[in-house]
Amino acid sequence: HRPAPPRAPPASELPPGGPEGSLMQQELHGTVVKLLQAAGSERELSRRLQLLEKACDVLLHADTPTEIVAASLDHFLGLQSDPHTSLRRYVAHFLGRVSCCKPSLAL
């Protein structure tokens, strides 16, 4: 059982930042959602890890708002019960990176 990737929130739920900021945030969230969906449907473990790494790079970028990261955390937390040890280790690594790169989410 794989957790469902996060869905893109309506524009009304995204933080303010003007039309360009809101559009950029929607694009970032859309990119993350697509990567997580692709990773969820991938059968090959190495490819799945690559897709998760790409999603993490977007999520942990300094310009990515914490709201977008927070919207994706449930997906990663759900992977902690995956039968593949390497995937569970990657999730632990990602959560450690979240606490360093986005400290407001560590609490």
Side-chain angles (χ1 to χ4, degrees):
H1 176 263
R2 294 182 181 154
R7 294 184 184 182
S12 62
E13 291 181 16
L14 290 173
E20 290 135 8
S22 179
L23 181 59
M24 183 184 85
Q25 291 176 5
Q26 288 176 341
E27 289 175 4
L28 284 172
H29 197 267
T31 299
V32 170
V33 168
K34 287 178 186 176
L35 288 167
L36 293 177
Q37 286 174 338
S41 63
E42 182 61 51
R43 289 182 175 227
E44 185 181 331
L45 182 60
S46 62
R47 179 71 180 133
R48 200 169 162 201
L49 288 167
Q50 289 173 348
L51 291 165
L52 288 173
E53 179 67 29
K54 287 180 182 181
C56 292
D57 288 343
V58 173
L59 288 170
L60 298 178
H61 190 273
D63 293 334
T64 302
T66 56
E67 293 83 4
I68 294 174
V69 180
S72 302
L73 282 179
D74 284 341
H75 178 78
F76 285 94
L77 292 172
L79 293 174
Q80 289 179 320
S81 61
D82 193 272
H84 297 98
T85 303
S86 57
L87 191 58
R88 292 191 311 268
R89 286 182 182 161
Y90 181 76
V91 169
H93 168 74
F94 167 72
L95 294 174
R97 288 180 61 197
V98 167
S99 65
C100 290
C101 297
K102 305 289 183 182
S104 64
L105 294 174
L107 301 174

